[in-house]
Amino acid sequence: MLIDKTLAEYTNLLSSDAPTPGGGSSLALVGLNATCLVMMAANVTITKLSKKGLDCPQLNESVGKLEQTKQAFHTLIDQDATAFS
């Protein structure tokens, strides 16, 4: 599974003449990275608010939805390679 490879292994495969990974899984990886960056920003904000005794339920709910999106991108990375094969 591509998702289980190290970053070095994945990028070495991507730059080779191997048929997979290709554009689809690479775009899913970009989506995964973007989702994780948004989650990081949200989690930092949640932590800062929490230290001030504040709570933001909408932000917590958004992080939950982002976690689902993150898992979907994990799946899509390998689904693209499977579909191509």
Side-chain angles (χ1 to χ4, degrees), residues 12-85:
N12 285 339
L13 273 173
L14 183 61
S15 62
S16 75
D17 64 349
T20 59
S25 68
S26 295
L27 287 174
L29 180 58
V30 168
L32 176 60
N33 284 328
T35 301
C36 289
L37 284 169
V38 173
M39 289 178 74
M40 178 186 65
N43 283 319
V44 166
T45 302
I46 289 168
T47 299
K48 285 183 178 185
L49 289 173
S50 178
K51 287 179 181 179
K52 294 179 180 182
L54 301 172
D55 187 30
C56 186
Q58 299 93 340
L59 196 52
N60 288 321
E61 182 180 331
S62 294
V63 170
K65 290 178 182 176
L66 286 164
E67 181 61 38
Q68 292 174 351
T69 303
K70 180 179 151 185
Q71 294 306 317
F73 279 124
H74 273 241
T75 302
L76 287 170
I77 288 171
D78 283 317
Q79 281 183 342
D80 177 71
T82 301
F84 187 82
S85 297

